[in-house]
Amino acid sequence: MLLEEGAPFQLIENELIMSPSPNSIHQAIVARLSQLILNFLDKTQNDGYIAGSMDVVFDENNVFQPDILYVSDKRKEIVKDRVEGTPDLTIEILSPSNAFYDLRQKKEVYQKYGVKEYIIIDPVSQNADLYVLKDGAYYLHQKAQKNEQLNSVLLPGFGIDLSKLFAI
């Protein structure tokens, strides 16, 4: 199924799920994370692709719009008008309206289709979880609190200082 461009919903397990407009804290976190990742990619001369709220087509029943996605340089052919395949990294920022989907259904699809690293940011609890795919299943690699740093496995040397991320 093709979703209308800019449509406020995602297709999760063949169910259209309304995605209300993110609040200001959510948007600020997306902007900061995007800036951090872009700065890191520039510094390390990594030509991977990063985007936010872009359709990712996993199959005919699952078309998501992760808050942030990253596709490595060697796999950029899956990036077209939308991502047609599996990103290497997805980041979701929780909100009351999407937490169930991000923590359960989307996480299961990300795992099934081989997203190598999945980061969940919780602005209310001010913490973050980093899941890494190993042998086809996610395991919790790191749980970081507000005054800690979350360190990517996929992008060695990239870390997120949560105290700065949540200083909004």
Side-chain angles (χ1 to χ4, degrees):
M1 167 185 274
L2 291 177
L3 298 179
E4 181 181 327
E5 187 174 338
F9 49 81
Q10 299 180 74
L11 185 64
I12 301 175
E13 295 298 339
N14 207 33
E15 181 181 351
L16 283 176
I17 305 298
M18 200 59 182
S19 298
S21 179
N23 65 30
S24 60
I25 292 171
H26 183 110
Q27 294 291 57
I29 290 171
V30 168
R32 286 183 182 197
L33 280 172
S34 297
Q35 180 181 28
L36 285 171
I37 296 169
L38 286 169
N39 288 345
F40 175 79
L41 296 178
D42 285 346
K43 184 175 131 188
T44 59
Q45 298 179 345
N46 179 324
D47 290 328
Y49 179 82
I50 179 173
S53 297
M54 180 178 185
D55 282 352
V56 176
V57 180
F58 290 98
D59 61 33
E60 63 187 22
N61 297 317
N62 293 288
V63 180
F64 300 170
Q65 294 177 349
D67 290 313
I68 298 174
L69 65 89
Y70 166 78
V71 176
S72 67
D73 182 47
K74 60 186 170 204
R75 300 183 59 250
K76 283 198 319 192
E77 74 279 355
I78 68 171
V79 179
K80 301 177 184 353
D81 288 339
R82 56 194 188 161
V83 176
E84 296 178 7
T86 304
D88 294 284
L89 164 71
T90 58
I91 301 175
E92 297 284 5
I93 292 102
L94 299 182
S95 66
S97 65
N98 71 12
F100 171 78
Y101 299 106
D102 290 346
L103 292 169
R104 301 268 190 252
Q105 290 180 297
K106 290 173 79 173
K107 182 180 172 194
E108 289 173 10
V109 172
Y110 289 154
Q111 178 177 275
K112 176 182 174 182
Y113 283 93
V115 174
K116 295 174 185 168
E117 190 167 287
Y118 179 38
I119 298 173
I120 300 171
I121 307 288
D122 186 341
V124 174
S125 299
Q126 296 193 334
N127 63 31
D129 295 339
L130 187 147
Y131 291 90
V132 174
L133 193 67
K134 184 175 182 180
D135 298 324
Y138 278 137
Y139 74 93
L140 181 61
H141 176 76
Q142 184 185 3
K143 183 172 192 74
Q145 303 301 318
K146 180 181 179 176
N147 295 318
E148 298 175 334
Q149 180 163 305
L150 191 75
N151 297 301
S152 175
V153 173
L154 182 72
L155 299 170
F158 175 69
I160 303 167
D161 181 341
L162 296 183
S163 64
K164 291 180 181 175
L165 186 67
F166 295 125
I168 299 170

